[in-house]
Amino acid sequence: FNDHTKWLLVSGGYSGDLVVENLVCCHYGPAECSCNLVQYQVTDTQCLGVQFNEDESAFFVYTECEDAMHRNVGTWRELFYDNDRSWLQIENYGDVSHPIYMCLGVLSGDAGIAIDDSFCKIDTEVQLLDCSYQQDVENDVWIAKQTRFMFDVETNQMKFIGCEDDNLCVDVKENSMDQTDKLSGVKLTIASCDDATVFQERHFFP
């Protein structure tokens, strides 16, 4: 739960201030949030991950699947804020010792500002965006439509749930890349779930 600060203070014997930014998940949004730590296996040995550049930009890659003791860019947080309102996100675990607050999302409109639901289109590119992107707390919109993603356990697919169309999923395709690079760059786009990537397995971490 997002209120684990209260649990730690009452039940864990902690005193003083807690740095809530270093909680394993649930840094944005209302209380009663929960999360899963998972990996999305694409091939026999590779999982979907992220490669960070020196300029702090990022791109998606296939990388070796990890284990619970060595979580890194191939690990993801599935965030559950409010199922009834589709306030769900998929956040990358990152390559540092604290959360990076980067979630799957789509951009649209000028400077990324969505005037309408133009992002609800096939072939829209999926990117890593700040998890609070387009958040409007004053109007009780904790999770913007552009960052609402979930994993469908029945179909083993990532679903984009920010649109009226309930048949939108994430498709993963390889990019051309220097053969000397150990990681394979991939592009994520919105596709019909009938044509989108089906992951081999979804691994849970404790």
Side-chain angles (χ1 to χ4, degrees):
F1 292 104
N2 200 25
D3 285 338
H4 15 240
T5 49
K6 294 180 181 178
W7 184 91
L8 288 170
L9 290 170
V10 175
S11 303
Y14 285 80
S15 60
D17 295 330
L18 294 175
V19 182
V20 295
E21 289 78 6
N22 285 335
L23 294 174
V24 71
C25 62
C26 300
H27 312 98
Y28 301 107
E32 298 189 2
C33 166
S34 63
C35 71
N36 294 325
L37 292 179
V38 301
Q39 285 193 309
Y40 303 113
Q41 186 174 344
V42 186
T43 70
D44 289 343
T45 60
Q46 294 181 312
C47 288
L48 180 66
V50 176
Q51 173 77 22
F52 292 96
N53 296 319
E54 292 183 359
D55 61 359
E56 298 185 357
S57 63
F59 59 95
F60 298 103
V61 296
Y62 290 158
T63 185
E64 290 185 9
C65 296
E66 302 163 357
D67 60 64
M69 299 302 296
H70 302 89
R71 299 176 188 143
N72 204 276
V73 296
T75 300
W76 301 82
R77 297 175 177 90
E78 294 174 343
L79 302 169
F80 305 90
Y81 289 108
D82 190 324
N83 287 310
D84 293 335
R85 302 180 72 171
S86 297
W87 286 356
L88 312 175
Q89 293 180 313
I90 297 178
E91 175 188 0
N92 188 257
Y93 191 84
D95 60 349
V96 290
S97 59
H98 56 79
I100 61 171
Y101 318 115
M102 300 298 289
C103 290
L104 296 184
V106 294
L107 294 171
S108 65
D110 295 335
I113 299 175
I115 300 173
D116 50 33
D117 287 353
S118 60
F119 51 84
C120 297
K121 293 181 179 179
I122 302 297
D123 293 329
T124 298
E125 185 175 359
V126 179
Q127 304 180 42
L128 274 184
L129 303 177
D130 190 290
C131 294
S132 62
Y133 174 75
Q134 296 293 312
Q135 186 185 65
D136 187 0
V137 177
E138 291 185 1
N139 291 309
D140 195 29
V141 180
W142 287 87
I143 306 299
K145 292 181 178 180
Q146 295 95 321
T147 63
R148 295 180 188 176
F149 287 80
M150 63 166 286
F151 191 83
D152 189 329
V153 296
E154 294 184 359
T155 64
N156 274 358
Q157 292 178 299
M158 289 181 179
K159 293 197 72 172
F160 180 35
I161 55 175
C163 305
E164 292 185 6
D165 187 345
D166 63 357
N167 191 43
L168 298 178
C169 290
V170 175
D171 190 39
V172 184
K173 286 186 170 62
E174 289 193 39
N175 284 327
S176 58
M177 200 173 207
D178 190 335
Q179 293 181 352
T180 62
D181 200 306
K182 296 181 180 179
L183 299 174
S184 300
V186 296
K187 183 177 182 179
L188 275 58
T189 58
I190 300 300
S192 165
C193 293
D194 297 331
D195 303 319
T197 297
V198 176
F199 293 87
Q200 285 194 7
E201 195 169 350
R202 172 172 169 252
H203 300 283
F204 276 95
F205 285 154

